[in-house]
Amino acid sequence: DQQVKQNSPSLSVQEGRISILNCDYTNSMFDYFLWYKKYPAEGPTFLISISSIKDKNEDGRFTVFLNKSAKHLSLHIVPSQPGDSAVYFCAAHASNFGNEKLTFGTGTRLTIIP
Amino acid sequence: DAGVIQSPRHEVTEMGQEVTLRCKPISGHNSLFWYRQTMMRGLELLIYFNNNVPIDDSGMPEDRFSAKMPNASFSTLKIQPSEPRDSAVYFCASSQGSRDLNYEQYFGPGTRLTVT
C-alpha cells in the first residue's frame, strides 16, 4: 500500500526551463511534507519542506506547492540547471504515527538537458 | 561534522551468509533510521530507534533481519541468512528528532548489498 506516490519515474527538461515534479498521497493524517534530492552513489539530502497548514513554500529556485483537497504536492525548479539532474523523493510525516517516521515515494529521476 | 557514516560501502556475499551493515549517526542526534532502497518500493523504512530504543520495526521484512543500537554512536543491521532478494542499497539516517527541525533526516552514503 503505497501511501506516497510519484507516478512519473523519470522527467527530462531543457536547461533554463521549469521542472515540475509531482507527488500524490492518500493518508489524510499527513501533516508535513519533505522533498529530498539524491545523486548517484550518495545518500538523499534534504531540499525543501512544507507544513500542511501552508500551501506554498519557496527557497531560491525551489518552490513546493501543496493542494490538500487534492492530496497533491509539487516541486517546481526554475530555472532548471544541469546540477539539478538527480532523483527526487517526496516524503511525508503523519501526525498519527506518534513518532518521526517518514513515508517516502518511489522517486522521480530528473534529467536536465543542456 | 563527518555526517552519517556507513560501512561497508559495498558488500557482495553468497546466499546463506550472514551480512552485517554498520552505521555511525551524527553526534548529538537521538534518532536513527534504517532504510532499504529498491526500484519497486523506493525508500522503505525498516526500523527506527530513538535514544537507542527501537520505536518502530514494522518495516523489518522477516526474522532474518535484526537491528541493534548498543549506544548512541553505533548501530548494526544484520541479515542472517542472506538471500538474493535482499540485494538493494541500505541507508542509515539520523535526526535530532524535533518538530522544530522539520523532521529532517540526514542520510549516510548507503551500503550496496549484492547477494549471489
Side-chain angles (χ1 to χ4, degrees):
Chain A
D1 177 26
Q2 197 76 18
Q3 296 187 49
V4 177
K5 302 178 184 178
Q6 294 177 258
N7 293 318
S8 299
S10 63
L11 175 68
S12 293
V13 175
Q14 204 79 29
E15 181 179 358
R17 299 287 187 98
I18 184 172
S19 295
I20 301 176
L21 296 95
N22 295 303
C23 179
D24 296 295
Y25 61 95
T26 58
N27 189 344
S28 58
M29 298 302 291
F30 285 147
D31 63 351
Y32 211 86
F33 302 90
L34 303 89
W35 283 94
Y36 277 79
K37 176 179 180 178
K38 184 186 178 305
Y39 291 121
E42 295 183 11
T45 55
F46 171 75
L47 187 58
I48 192 169
S49 61
I50 188 168
S51 165
S52 61
I53 63 174
K54 296 184 177 181
D55 55 17
K56 177 182 175 181
N57 187 28
E58 191 171 355
D59 183 2
R61 296 186 299 113
F62 302 92
T63 303
V64 57
F65 295 93
L66 175 61
N67 183 334
K68 286 185 65 177
S69 61
K71 292 190 173 66
H72 176 84
L73 67 156
S74 60
L75 174 67
H76 293 213
I77 306 172
V78 57
S80 300
Q81 299 174 354
D84 297 330
S85 294
V87 176
Y88 290 78
F89 289 97
C90 172
H93 173 271
S95 57
N96 64 344
F97 283 157
N99 58 41
E100 303 165 55
K101 180 175 173 178
L102 295 179
T103 301
F104 283 82
T106 52
T108 296
R109 180 177 302 279
L110 174 65
T111 301
I112 304 303
I113 304 165
Chain B
D1 198 322
V4 176
I5 298 172
Q6 291 188 247
S7 64
R9 292 294 309 273
H10 301 274
E11 178 79 42
V12 180
T13 190
E14 292 183 348
M15 183 174 64
Q17 296 298 307
E18 177 180 296
V19 175
T20 300
L21 311 181
R22 296 172 176 79
C23 175
K24 177 179 168 55
I26 292 173
S27 177
H29 283 190
N30 57 11
S31 295
L32 183 140
F33 309 82
W34 281 102
Y35 290 90
R36 177 171 66 179
Q37 182 189 7
T38 61
M39 289 295 291
M40 291 297 296
R41 299 192 174 192
L43 280 166
E44 294 179 273
L45 177 67
L46 301 177
I47 187 168
Y48 148 47
F49 293 86
N50 181 258
N51 293 323
N52 313 335
V53 176
I55 301 299
D56 187 335
D57 66 354
S58 59
M60 294 288 263
E62 48 198 274
D63 292 345
R64 298 185 298 107
F65 285 68
S66 63
K68 294 182 180 180
M69 191 164 186
N71 57 62
S73 59
F74 184 66
S75 177
T76 59
L77 178 68
K78 186 177 293 186
I79 308 172
Q80 165 65 19
S82 57
E83 296 183 2
R85 60 190 167 125
D86 301 331
S87 297
V89 181
Y90 291 80
F91 289 101
C92 176
S94 69
S95 79
Q96 292 180 282
S98 166
R99 169 60 193 265
D100 291 338
L101 296 168
N102 303 332
Y103 301 110
E104 183 179 345
Q105 297 177 14
Y106 296 78
F107 283 77
T111 296
R112 180 174 294 277
L113 173 65
T114 303
V115 183
T116 59

